[in-house]
Amino acid sequence: MEKRPDSHQTAEVFLDATEMRGTGELIIELEGVDKYFGDFQALKGINMKVARQEVVVVIGPSGSGKSTLIRCINRLETHDRGRIVVDNTELTDDIRRIQEVRAETGMVFQQFNLFPHLTVIDNITLGPRHVRNMPKKAAEDLAMEILTRVKIPEQAHKFPGQLSGGQQQRVAIARSLAMNPKVMLFDEPTSALDPEMIKEVLDVMKELARSGMTMLVITHEMGFAREVADRVVFMADGEIVEVGTPEHFFRNPKEERTRLFISQIL
Amino acid sequence: MTGRPFMEPGLEEPILVIDEGRRDKLPPGKWVRRHLFNSWHNTLVTVLLVLLLGYAAYRFGLFLFVNGRWSPVRRNLTLFMVGRYPREELWRIVAQVVIWSGTIGLAWGVAIAGASFRASQTGVAYREDPLLTKVRRYWGLLGLLLLLLLLTESFGPLILALVAIGVGALLQVIGKRVPGQYADLMWAAVGVLAVGGYQIVSGFHGRGWIWMATPLALGAVRLVGRIAWTDPRRERLMQLGVVAGVFGIGYVAYSMLDLEGVGWDHWEGLHLNLIVATVAIVLAFPLGLLLALARRSSLPALRVMATSYIELIRGVPLISLLLMAQFFIGFFLNTTTPLSALTRAIAAFTLFTAAYIAEIVRGGLQSVPKGQIEAGQSVGLSPFRVTRSIVLPQALRAVIPAMVGQFIALFKDTSLLSIIGMAEILQVRALVHAQAEFRGFGIAETLVFVMLAFWAFSFTMSRESQRLERKLGIGER
């Protein structure tokens, strides 16, 4: 399989969460981010940087805060302390700015969250038409182009309920791509899928990574991480425990907690 | 507990089969034996109930066909339908019936065209119901119509019914033939027909132009949207211009036309019940929607206002609101009110129903999963757009049965108009028995007739809501 020119995943490297790879040009920055749900602290002083065209895979046990982390990046959750900057825009309560950030940030959910009352093509054109003010025809042409890219153009006029899980998740990816985002966030995109459908979704994601998309992916698919990740981030108890290249994680993780987790999922 | 299904000795299959409420399909003879005569005590219950039901049916049949004194109904059919509406203006109501029949036919046809167009795109087979199924579906209303035609003593109603059904059928065929992608324009035509049918009685004058211009403007906006614009801003501008134009022309046309009609203080009988219910439904729905949204708003002032309104209205009887609107509103507004009595009554019905609709819709809003809203937000949609395009369509689908239930209640509650001195159909019955020849004569018969009229419409609404609910589930989820 072809390697991206800027990736170094063969090397066994231990990294800091703020040591970016990719192009080296900053796109996401988190600085001392805390997040509480009531008394429970979900994120504890997270520092992290992501560069353009970088693929970062986040792993960790459930309840470790990885979902909360990426949901803070497009402000589906609000953080309580620290700074989050996405594409030079700091996330504050200013709803207009947040809408702009969200439009630039694609998000793919574990449960797909397609709109069941709209056909596939309407699911995809909703954003371009109402956020980008694209005329209907142009939006539909764009949607068909992207559906071809995720290999389901023939499903364009069906309802989500008529599709398989794998197809639905590819529609969800297409829905995000239609906004031409600068970053894509994936929250366990294959966890709700039957095993035989996981591959078709991962293939689309790999193609996306190869095309140079900046991606932040929560997944337990270690094959995917090994193949396309520039960095792997291991989280536990709301903290970033260890960061490194995939090789580093699979060969020689430094922390005991990391070792235990890796041994459980492999 | 053995965990086995309940087995009757001597039977190899369980009698209690709980499979999603579906009845098992057996030949009638076998079904009867299996379900009604499967043991001595069940046989006893069956025999007793058959005897009881048979006796009740016998007495009721006797009342209907032998003892019943139906002349008060037979002689006053027109009175029951339209009350003391001026007889020389009756042609207006005849025209209204024909136009609205056409409206329903067109709407029906367009809906079918739209459904088959969508079906051809989604690959779900669409099959139109055969005529017999349709007749069976509306047997409540058709039965009422048949009864009216049997009771009547002239040919006028028969001709009217035939013409109305003919026009409806014709427009249905036209609606079906129009390609599905023009459905939005046809819906505008449906709106124009509906308003026109109303104004043929009420007159084309005053502020009526607003109601007529609204569907026309919506159609015009859609028409503009069909042009392949490259610049969305120019498209918006053009749409605004077209809307302004339509409203302007409507205003001028109505001030020039100024065709007087029969004011609604003269509307009575079943006609009044139907009009009041329809108008109140049309107005209460959007009001209830806004109240539900306001109650869930993040703005405290809005939320408190909506909540107090809803709880206040839901806490008092409808009749007290009607009385308040009729007799005491002057105290609060300190005015000799310019609004007609019927306007105030419709306002009371609308405000009352809106509070209930608001609660029903709120339930629907809560049933939409949070993930749907997050998915909308994460593509960058504004809060308004998320509500409008994602939350509301799903919420409303979920509450169709409850909402139609509320509308049926509203329709039946229009009988309360009699209490504030309006001659709706129940009050017409009192007028009939005030006639010298029918004083105290056939009072049960007239009441049964009025009940039947209410039932036919309520039953049809209820059946339609069930069908709509089933249909909207197809191809989704």
Side-chain angles (χ1 to χ4, degrees), chain B residues 147-169:
Chain B
L147 180 74
L148 289 174
L149 291 177
L150 285 175
L151 287 172
T152 182
E153 286 156 341
S154 67
F155 283 109
L158 179 65
I159 295 167
L160 171 59
L162 288 178
V163 170
I165 290 175
V167 168

PDB file of all heavy atoms in Angstrom, chain B residues 147-169:
ATOM      1  N   LEU B 147     -77.749   8.280   3.463  1.00  0.00           N
ATOM      2  CA  LEU B 147     -78.897   8.467   4.345  1.00  0.00           C
ATOM      3  C   LEU B 147     -79.609   9.782   4.035  1.00  0.00           C
ATOM      4  O   LEU B 147     -80.836   9.841   3.928  1.00  0.00           O
ATOM      5  CB  LEU B 147     -78.419   8.444   5.796  1.00  0.00           C
ATOM      6  CG  LEU B 147     -79.511   8.638   6.832  1.00  0.00           C
ATOM      7  CD1 LEU B 147     -80.349   7.374   6.942  1.00  0.00           C
ATOM      8  CD2 LEU B 147     -78.936   9.014   8.182  1.00  0.00           C
ATOM      9  N   LEU B 148     -78.807  10.837   3.854  1.00  0.00           N
ATOM     10  CA  LEU B 148     -79.377  12.145   3.546  1.00  0.00           C
ATOM     11  C   LEU B 148     -80.170  12.074   2.247  1.00  0.00           C
ATOM     12  O   LEU B 148     -81.268  12.614   2.140  1.00  0.00           O
ATOM     13  CB  LEU B 148     -78.272  13.201   3.428  1.00  0.00           C
ATOM     14  CG  LEU B 148     -77.597  13.613   4.727  1.00  0.00           C
ATOM     15  CD1 LEU B 148     -76.434  14.545   4.466  1.00  0.00           C
ATOM     16  CD2 LEU B 148     -78.619  14.290   5.644  1.00  0.00           C
ATOM     17  N   LEU B 149     -79.601  11.406   1.250  1.00  0.00           N
ATOM     18  CA  LEU B 149     -80.268  11.319  -0.043  1.00  0.00           C
ATOM     19  C   LEU B 149     -81.558  10.504   0.056  1.00  0.00           C
ATOM     20  O   LEU B 149     -82.538  10.796  -0.624  1.00  0.00           O
ATOM     21  CB  LEU B 149     -79.336  10.691  -1.088  1.00  0.00           C
ATOM     22  CG  LEU B 149     -78.151  11.577  -1.479  1.00  0.00           C
ATOM     23  CD1 LEU B 149     -77.246  10.864  -2.455  1.00  0.00           C
ATOM     24  CD2 LEU B 149     -78.637  12.901  -2.069  1.00  0.00           C
ATOM     25  N   LEU B 150     -81.542   9.490   0.927  1.00  0.00           N
ATOM     26  CA  LEU B 150     -82.749   8.682   1.099  1.00  0.00           C
ATOM     27  C   LEU B 150     -83.843   9.471   1.806  1.00  0.00           C
ATOM     28  O   LEU B 150     -85.027   9.335   1.506  1.00  0.00           O
ATOM     29  CB  LEU B 150     -82.431   7.420   1.907  1.00  0.00           C
ATOM     30  CG  LEU B 150     -81.672   6.338   1.147  1.00  0.00           C
ATOM     31  CD1 LEU B 150     -81.315   5.188   2.081  1.00  0.00           C
ATOM     32  CD2 LEU B 150     -82.488   5.828  -0.037  1.00  0.00           C
ATOM     33  N   LEU B 151     -83.424  10.318   2.762  1.00  0.00           N
ATOM     34  CA  LEU B 151     -84.400  11.061   3.556  1.00  0.00           C
ATOM     35  C   LEU B 151     -84.999  12.223   2.779  1.00  0.00           C
ATOM     36  O   LEU B 151     -86.133  12.620   3.012  1.00  0.00           O
ATOM     37  CB  LEU B 151     -83.747  11.585   4.831  1.00  0.00           C
ATOM     38  CG  LEU B 151     -83.426  10.563   5.915  1.00  0.00           C
ATOM     39  CD1 LEU B 151     -82.613  11.195   7.014  1.00  0.00           C
ATOM     40  CD2 LEU B 151     -84.716   9.977   6.487  1.00  0.00           C
ATOM     41  N   THR B 152     -84.226  12.779   1.858  1.00  0.00           N
ATOM     42  CA  THR B 152     -84.652  14.021   1.218  1.00  0.00           C
ATOM     43  C   THR B 152     -85.855  13.783   0.307  1.00  0.00           C
ATOM     44  O   THR B 152     -86.089  12.672  -0.179  1.00  0.00           O
ATOM     45  CB  THR B 152     -83.499  14.641   0.412  1.00  0.00           C
ATOM     46  OG1 THR B 152     -83.970  15.856  -0.139  1.00  0.00           O
ATOM     47  CG2 THR B 152     -83.038  13.737  -0.687  1.00  0.00           C
ATOM     48  N   GLU B 153     -86.605  14.859   0.099  1.00  0.00           N
ATOM     49  CA  GLU B 153     -87.841  14.724  -0.659  1.00  0.00           C
ATOM     50  C   GLU B 153     -87.738  15.352  -2.044  1.00  0.00           C
ATOM     51  O   GLU B 153     -88.704  15.422  -2.782  1.00  0.00           O
ATOM     52  CB  GLU B 153     -89.000  15.353   0.121  1.00  0.00           C
ATOM     53  CG  GLU B 153     -89.408  14.468   1.281  1.00  0.00           C
ATOM     54  CD  GLU B 153     -90.105  15.223   2.396  1.00  0.00           C
ATOM     55  OE1 GLU B 153     -89.971  16.464   2.458  1.00  0.00           O
ATOM     56  OE2 GLU B 153     -90.772  14.585   3.214  1.00  0.00           O
ATOM     57  N   SER B 154     -86.547  15.874  -2.407  1.00  0.00           N
ATOM     58  CA  SER B 154     -86.412  16.463  -3.741  1.00  0.00           C
ATOM     59  C   SER B 154     -85.168  15.902  -4.420  1.00  0.00           C
ATOM     60  O   SER B 154     -84.372  15.197  -3.800  1.00  0.00           O
ATOM     61  CB  SER B 154     -86.307  17.989  -3.640  1.00  0.00           C
ATOM     62  OG  SER B 154     -85.098  18.333  -3.002  1.00  0.00           O
ATOM     63  N   PHE B 155     -84.975  16.243  -5.687  1.00  0.00           N
ATOM     64  CA  PHE B 155     -83.841  15.726  -6.438  1.00  0.00           C
ATOM     65  C   PHE B 155     -82.610  16.630  -6.355  1.00  0.00           C
ATOM     66  O   PHE B 155     -81.533  16.235  -6.763  1.00  0.00           O
ATOM     67  CB  PHE B 155     -84.224  15.518  -7.910  1.00  0.00           C
ATOM     68  CG  PHE B 155     -85.048  14.291  -8.106  1.00  0.00           C
ATOM     69  CD1 PHE B 155     -86.398  14.386  -8.417  1.00  0.00           C
ATOM     70  CD2 PHE B 155     -84.482  13.039  -7.954  1.00  0.00           C
ATOM     71  CE1 PHE B 155     -87.169  13.247  -8.582  1.00  0.00           C
ATOM     72  CE2 PHE B 155     -85.234  11.897  -8.126  1.00  0.00           C
ATOM     73  CZ  PHE B 155     -86.592  11.997  -8.440  1.00  0.00           C
ATOM     74  N   GLY B 156     -82.825  17.861  -5.856  1.00  0.00           N
ATOM     75  CA  GLY B 156     -81.719  18.820  -5.779  1.00  0.00           C
ATOM     76  C   GLY B 156     -80.471  18.238  -5.133  1.00  0.00           C
ATOM     77  O   GLY B 156     -79.396  18.237  -5.744  1.00  0.00           O
ATOM     78  N   PRO B 157     -80.576  17.685  -3.919  1.00  0.00           N
ATOM     79  CA  PRO B 157     -79.382  17.168  -3.238  1.00  0.00           C
ATOM     80  C   PRO B 157     -78.695  16.063  -4.020  1.00  0.00           C
ATOM     81  O   PRO B 157     -77.466  15.984  -4.036  1.00  0.00           O
ATOM     82  CB  PRO B 157     -79.949  16.633  -1.924  1.00  0.00           C
ATOM     83  CG  PRO B 157     -81.195  17.397  -1.713  1.00  0.00           C
ATOM     84  CD  PRO B 157     -81.752  17.651  -3.062  1.00  0.00           C
ATOM     85  N   LEU B 158     -79.495  15.226  -4.701  1.00  0.00           N
ATOM     86  CA  LEU B 158     -78.901  14.136  -5.471  1.00  0.00           C
ATOM     87  C   LEU B 158     -78.039  14.704  -6.590  1.00  0.00           C
ATOM     88  O   LEU B 158     -76.890  14.279  -6.802  1.00  0.00           O
ATOM     89  CB  LEU B 158     -79.995  13.233  -6.041  1.00  0.00           C
ATOM     90  CG  LEU B 158     -79.473  12.063  -6.884  1.00  0.00           C
ATOM     91  CD1 LEU B 158     -78.681  11.103  -6.023  1.00  0.00           C
ATOM     92  CD2 LEU B 158     -80.615  11.349  -7.588  1.00  0.00           C
ATOM     93  N   ILE B 159     -78.614  15.712  -7.299  1.00  0.00           N
ATOM     94  CA  ILE B 159     -77.864  16.337  -8.387  1.00  0.00           C
ATOM     95  C   ILE B 159     -76.600  16.980  -7.843  1.00  0.00           C
ATOM     96  O   ILE B 159     -75.496  16.814  -8.380  1.00  0.00           O
ATOM     97  CB  ILE B 159     -78.749  17.376  -9.111  1.00  0.00           C
ATOM     98  CG1 ILE B 159     -79.922  16.660  -9.781  1.00  0.00           C
ATOM     99  CG2 ILE B 159     -77.929  18.141 -10.144  1.00  0.00           C
ATOM    100  CD1 ILE B 159     -81.012  17.583 -10.255  1.00  0.00           C
ATOM    101  N   LEU B 160     -76.737  17.702  -6.725  1.00  0.00           N
ATOM    102  CA  LEU B 160     -75.572  18.357  -6.108  1.00  0.00           C
ATOM    103  C   LEU B 160     -74.500  17.322  -5.771  1.00  0.00           C
ATOM    104  O   LEU B 160     -73.315  17.510  -6.076  1.00  0.00           O
ATOM    105  CB  LEU B 160     -76.005  19.107  -4.846  1.00  0.00           C
ATOM    106  CG  LEU B 160     -74.871  19.666  -3.986  1.00  0.00           C
ATOM    107  CD1 LEU B 160     -74.009  20.637  -4.794  1.00  0.00           C
ATOM    108  CD2 LEU B 160     -75.416  20.361  -2.743  1.00  0.00           C
ATOM    109  N   ALA B 161     -74.927  16.208  -5.142  1.00  0.00           N
ATOM    110  CA  ALA B 161     -73.955  15.187  -4.743  1.00  0.00           C
ATOM    111  C   ALA B 161     -73.242  14.633  -5.967  1.00  0.00           C
ATOM    112  O   ALA B 161     -72.005  14.479  -5.966  1.00  0.00           O
ATOM    113  CB  ALA B 161     -74.654  14.062  -3.992  1.00  0.00           C
ATOM    114  N   LEU B 162     -74.004  14.363  -7.024  1.00  0.00           N
ATOM    115  CA  LEU B 162     -73.397  13.796  -8.229  1.00  0.00           C
ATOM    116  C   LEU B 162     -72.413  14.777  -8.861  1.00  0.00           C
ATOM    117  O   LEU B 162     -71.297  14.404  -9.239  1.00  0.00           O
ATOM    118  CB  LEU B 162     -74.487  13.402  -9.234  1.00  0.00           C
ATOM    119  CG  LEU B 162     -75.306  12.170  -8.824  1.00  0.00           C
ATOM    120  CD1 LEU B 162     -76.385  11.876  -9.852  1.00  0.00           C
ATOM    121  CD2 LEU B 162     -74.386  10.964  -8.645  1.00  0.00           C
ATOM    122  N   VAL B 163     -72.831  16.057  -8.968  1.00  0.00           N
ATOM    123  CA  VAL B 163     -71.947  17.061  -9.558  1.00  0.00           C
ATOM    124  C   VAL B 163     -70.678  17.204  -8.723  1.00  0.00           C
ATOM    125  O   VAL B 163     -69.552  17.212  -9.247  1.00  0.00           O
ATOM    126  CB  VAL B 163     -72.674  18.425  -9.684  1.00  0.00           C
ATOM    127  CG1 VAL B 163     -71.691  19.528 -10.064  1.00  0.00           C
ATOM    128  CG2 VAL B 163     -73.776  18.342 -10.720  1.00  0.00           C
ATOM    129  N   ALA B 164     -70.861  17.290  -7.386  1.00  0.00           N
ATOM    130  CA  ALA B 164     -69.707  17.481  -6.504  1.00  0.00           C
ATOM    131  C   ALA B 164     -68.736  16.313  -6.633  1.00  0.00           C
ATOM    132  O   ALA B 164     -67.520  16.504  -6.799  1.00  0.00           O
ATOM    133  CB  ALA B 164     -70.161  17.638  -5.059  1.00  0.00           C
ATOM    134  N   ILE B 165     -69.272  15.089  -6.598  1.00  0.00           N
ATOM    135  CA  ILE B 165     -68.400  13.920  -6.705  1.00  0.00           C
ATOM    136  C   ILE B 165     -67.743  13.888  -8.081  1.00  0.00           C
ATOM    137  O   ILE B 165     -66.549  13.586  -8.220  1.00  0.00           O
ATOM    138  CB  ILE B 165     -69.204  12.623  -6.437  1.00  0.00           C
ATOM    139  CG1 ILE B 165     -69.576  12.563  -4.954  1.00  0.00           C
ATOM    140  CG2 ILE B 165     -68.378  11.390  -6.805  1.00  0.00           C
ATOM    141  CD1 ILE B 165     -70.470  11.407  -4.595  1.00  0.00           C
ATOM    142  N   GLY B 166     -68.524  14.261  -9.113  1.00  0.00           N
ATOM    143  CA  GLY B 166     -67.972  14.285 -10.471  1.00  0.00           C
ATOM    144  C   GLY B 166     -66.811  15.253 -10.587  1.00  0.00           C
ATOM    145  O   GLY B 166     -65.741  14.910 -11.098  1.00  0.00           O
ATOM    146  N   VAL B 167     -67.007  16.487 -10.076  1.00  0.00           N
ATOM    147  CA  VAL B 167     -65.944  17.491 -10.140  1.00  0.00           C
ATOM    148  C   VAL B 167     -64.723  17.020  -9.351  1.00  0.00           C
ATOM    149  O   VAL B 167     -63.581  17.136  -9.808  1.00  0.00           O
ATOM    150  CB  VAL B 167     -66.447  18.851  -9.601  1.00  0.00           C
ATOM    151  CG1 VAL B 167     -65.292  19.817  -9.391  1.00  0.00           C
ATOM    152  CG2 VAL B 167     -67.453  19.452 -10.565  1.00  0.00           C
ATOM    153  N   GLY B 168     -64.987  16.450  -8.167  1.00  0.00           N
ATOM    154  CA  GLY B 168     -63.881  15.928  -7.351  1.00  0.00           C
ATOM    155  C   GLY B 168     -63.091  14.870  -8.098  1.00  0.00           C
ATOM    156  O   GLY B 168     -61.869  14.908  -8.152  1.00  0.00           O
ATOM    157  N   ALA B 169     -63.827  13.932  -8.730  1.00  0.00           N
ATOM    158  CA  ALA B 169     -63.161  12.849  -9.454  1.00  0.00           C
ATOM    159  C   ALA B 169     -62.353  13.397 -10.620  1.00  0.00           C
ATOM    160  O   ALA B 169     -61.209  12.988 -10.874  1.00  0.00           O
ATOM    161  CB  ALA B 169     -64.196  11.840  -9.944  1.00  0.00           C
TER     162      ALA B 169
END
